Amino acid sequence: MFLDMMPTRIPPTTENLLGLSWNDSAWIPILNPSNVMDYFSERSNPFYDRTCNNEIVKMQRLSLDQLNNMTGLEFVLLHVQEPILYVIRKQQRYSTTHVTPVADYYIIAGTIYQAPDLASVLNSRIMSAVHHLQSAFEEASSYSRYHPSKGYSWELKVSDKPTKKENSKEEPSSLFQRQRVDMLLVELTKKFPIPTAPPPAAPVKTTSENLEIKSEPREVKTEKVDSPCMKPPPEKKPRLN
């Protein structure tokens, strides 16, 4: 009875960081690979953990190479594609050669996002598919009709008004998108080169001197065939008076 009256502790709920983004407009014009880790370690950044080894190295004014000799949580610059894309990884280090990835963050045009994990991507895709299926079943059930004598039937609403297409203007591609597409096309061309067609064969020249037409006379043989079915006409006999 006394245990039922005790208040239960509610576990703290961790905020889902997949829907958050953060940026600092003062850093964006000067952002480069040498200061991107300082930009990520800003106090107002919700993705940065202040209990990591990067904070210890920063306070002691050491080089980031010292992270390899430490154990614990750390942030490393994983990939750089100037001037717009930076990828930072949060990982747990156990030794100089043994690390376990925890999360990935990407910076696009100065804005930081958390990359979703595989479970979150699958969950989002499944929820989206279930939502569209449920909407399709609800719309289909709204067209069904029932009559006591005829039974069930479908009453589809077909609108005679033609649908007007909105004139949507496509946004021009950026310089980063064009360079990225060109680089992918070059890599695909190197992996799968275009087959070259063989050169056409030279035509054979024919002259009238090389061509000799020989004409041989043909012998036509005619044979007389005596048919047993054909008889000569009967001879005429004189009449006796």
Side-chain angles (χ1 to χ4, degrees):
M1 186 70 178
F2 177 73
L3 295 176
D4 295 340
M5 297 176 62
M6 293 181 62
T8 58
R9 293 183 178 180
I10 300 175
T13 57
T14 58
E15 186 180 3
N16 187 10
L17 300 178
L18 294 176
L20 295 180
S21 63
W22 180 86
N23 63 354
D24 189 349
S25 58
W27 279 83
I28 294 176
I30 59 173
L31 200 60
N32 56 63
S34 60
N35 61 6
V36 66
M37 294 303 297
D38 297 332
Y39 174 63
F40 188 82
S41 61
E42 282 290 320
R43 292 183 178 274
S44 57
N45 182 14
F47 304 107
Y48 184 68
D49 191 352
R50 303 211 165 274
T51 61
C52 63
N53 294 335
N54 299 67
E55 194 70 15
I56 299 174
V57 171
K58 184 178 179 181
M59 292 175 62
Q60 296 180 0
R61 297 181 180 180
L62 300 175
S63 174
L64 291 178
D65 297 335
Q66 297 296 327
L67 293 174
N68 297 330
N69 302 325
M70 304 172 68
T71 58
L73 194 65
E74 64 182 20
F75 292 90
V76 294
L77 183 60
L78 184 65
H79 178 72
V80 175
Q81 185 169 343
E82 294 186 79
I84 194 172
L85 177 63
Y86 303 92
V87 180
I88 296 175
R89 171 166 290 181
K90 179 182 180 182
Q91 59 187 12
Q92 184 75 25
R93 180 173 293 277
Y94 301 98
S95 65
T96 55
T97 58
H98 183 202
V99 293
T100 301
V102 178
D104 288 340
Y105 307 93
Y106 56 94
I107 305 174
I108 296 181
T111 305
I112 303 176
Y113 306 89
Q114 180 176 351
D117 54 330
L118 182 59
S120 301
V121 173
L122 292 178
N123 187 23
S124 175
R125 296 295 185 269
I126 292 173
M127 291 296 293
S128 178
V130 170
H131 170 71
H132 290 302
L133 287 175
Q134 184 67 25
S135 302
F137 281 123
E138 291 176 357
E139 185 176 358
S141 62
S142 64
Y143 296 145
S144 63
R145 299 291 183 269
Y146 176 75
H147 193 273
S149 60
K150 298 180 180 179
Y152 287 97
S153 62
W154 298 95
E155 184 180 350
L156 301 177
K157 299 177 182 179
V158 181
S159 59
D160 298 334
K161 298 180 180 180
T163 57
K164 296 181 180 179
K165 296 182 179 180
E166 297 181 356
N167 296 327
S168 58
K169 296 182 179 180
E170 297 182 357
E171 297 182 358
S173 59
S174 62
L175 178 61
F176 169 74
Q177 293 174 341
R178 292 193 294 270
Q179 290 179 351
R180 186 65 177 172
V181 171
D182 293 341
M183 185 177 65
L184 292 175
L185 292 176
V186 171
E187 291 180 358
L188 289 175
T189 307
K190 290 180 180 179
K191 291 182 180 180
F192 307 100
I194 302 175
T196 57
V204 180
K205 297 181 179 180
T206 58
T207 58
S208 59
E209 296 178 356
N210 298 331
L211 297 178
E212 296 181 357
I213 302 175
K214 297 181 179 180
S215 59
E216 296 180 355
R218 296 183 179 180
E219 296 180 357
V220 180
K221 296 182 180 180
T222 56
E223 296 181 356
K224 295 181 180 181
V225 180
D226 296 334
S227 176
C229 299
M230 297 180 64
K231 295 180 180 180
E235 297 180 356
K236 293 182 180 182
K237 295 180 180 181
R239 291 182 181 181
L240 300 177
N241 294 331

